[in-house]
Amino acid sequence: MIYTVKENIKPEGLNGISNDQINDHWNLYVAYVNQSNALKQELEALRLEGKASTFAYADRRRRFGFEFAGMALHEYYFANLKADVELNEESDFSVAVKEAFGSLQAWKEDFINTGKSRSIGWAICYMDSETGDINNHFVQLHEEGNIPSFHPIVVMDVWEHAYMVDHKAGGRPDYINAVMSNINWETVERRYKDAKSKLASQRD
Ligand SMILES: [Fe+2]
């Protein structure tokens, strides 16, 4: 199988995030797709050559984790961006957030603070598939810090490349505010319901 670029999730016309910024960022996503495919082929070739126990294979396998997670997180990110979608405060996601954080505002403040972590990485709101609980976490790089059986519900890229076209290096707070005004809450709700429907796949 081959991974393909998901053209249907490319956002445009966002509030406070220019199409130039998205186009630049999109090219990086395309590179992750291409690199994932190239590494998958390289790993297969090494296996067929009987080199699966070599240092080279182990190195390429780790690299595949980076490239694949980079591809997947960018897909979650771009797909949850859309201008002018109102959050339904009675949605299943909103109810779960209020249960976990006390209020939507408290969750939002925590998610924003997660995005302001002093590192490149990702702010991710997850649902714990075993308990249904909502958690905000910071993931460095792409493949380090993702939590087993947590499903991504809201994903925000806070690598500097995500905002350097529109803002300078210190512009992360403005960028985060822009992202928060462009969350596609309909996608978020669908992800939450999909994750909840998988509650049967518990870890035990
Ligand atoms: Fe990115």
Side-chain angles (χ1 to χ4, degrees):
M1 53 104 13
I2 294 173
Y3 302 112
T4 55
V5 173
K6 297 186 176 182
E7 298 288 351
N8 60 310
I9 62 170
K10 185 176 182 180
E12 62 176 1
L14 300 176
N15 300 314
I17 302 175
S18 69
N19 288 341
D20 283 348
Q21 173 69 75
I22 292 295
N23 286 335
D24 224 45
H25 200 170
W26 186 263
N27 291 336
L28 297 180
Y29 157 60
V30 171
Y32 282 110
V33 176
N34 292 336
Q35 288 292 96
S36 294
N37 283 323
L39 280 164
K40 203 165 186 294
Q41 287 181 357
E42 196 174 325
L43 283 163
E44 185 179 1
L46 285 168
R47 277 198 306 275
L48 291 174
E49 291 169 23
K51 295 178 177 174
S53 61
T54 62
F55 289 139
Y57 188 93
D59 178 65
R60 307 318 278 159
R61 180 163 48 204
R62 285 195 196 97
R63 184 74 193 181
F64 179 77
F66 174 80
E67 301 289 353
F68 181 91
M71 172 181 74
L73 287 175
H74 280 99
E75 289 170 350
Y76 280 116
Y77 167 69
F78 286 125
N80 67 202
L81 291 180
K82 189 176 180 184
D84 303 324
V85 180
E86 290 289 321
L87 172 61
N88 175 0
E89 298 194 2
E90 305 307 319
S91 68
D92 288 2
F93 171 76
S94 294
V95 170
V97 161
K98 285 184 261 189
E99 193 171 314
F101 284 83
S103 69
L104 288 166
Q105 187 60 26
W107 169 81
K108 184 180 175 185
E109 287 172 10
D110 187 70
F111 188 69
I112 288 172
N113 283 332
T114 306
K116 290 179 179 174
S117 299
R118 287 182 55 77
S119 170
I120 55 165
W122 298 83
I124 304 179
C125 172
Y126 291 100
M127 193 193 90
D128 177 349
S129 64
E130 187 166 88
T131 66
D133 193 25
I134 294 286
N135 287 276
N136 293 326
H137 285 268
F138 191 78
V139 168
Q140 287 187 289
L141 297 177
H142 306 308
E143 81 283 30
E144 295 176 4
N146 291 288
I147 301 175
S149 79
F150 274 28
H151 292 278
I153 308 293
V154 188
V155 174
M156 176 165 63
D157 191 340
V158 292
W159 287 58
E160 277 140 1
H161 65 242
Y163 53 88
M164 284 293 282
V165 172
D166 288 341
H167 307 281
K168 294 189 185 300
R172 195 188 292 191
D174 290 338
Y175 159 73
I176 289 175
N177 286 337
V179 169
M180 296 310 293
S181 69
N182 288 290
I183 297 292
N184 187 343
W185 298 110
E186 290 173 3
T187 297
V188 168
E189 180 70 358
R190 176 182 52 76
R191 286 178 184 166
Y192 177 79
K193 284 179 172 163
D194 284 351
K196 197 170 184 186
S197 72
K198 293 171 187 163
L199 279 172
S201 60
Q202 296 188 8
R203 291 186 287 275
D204 56 5

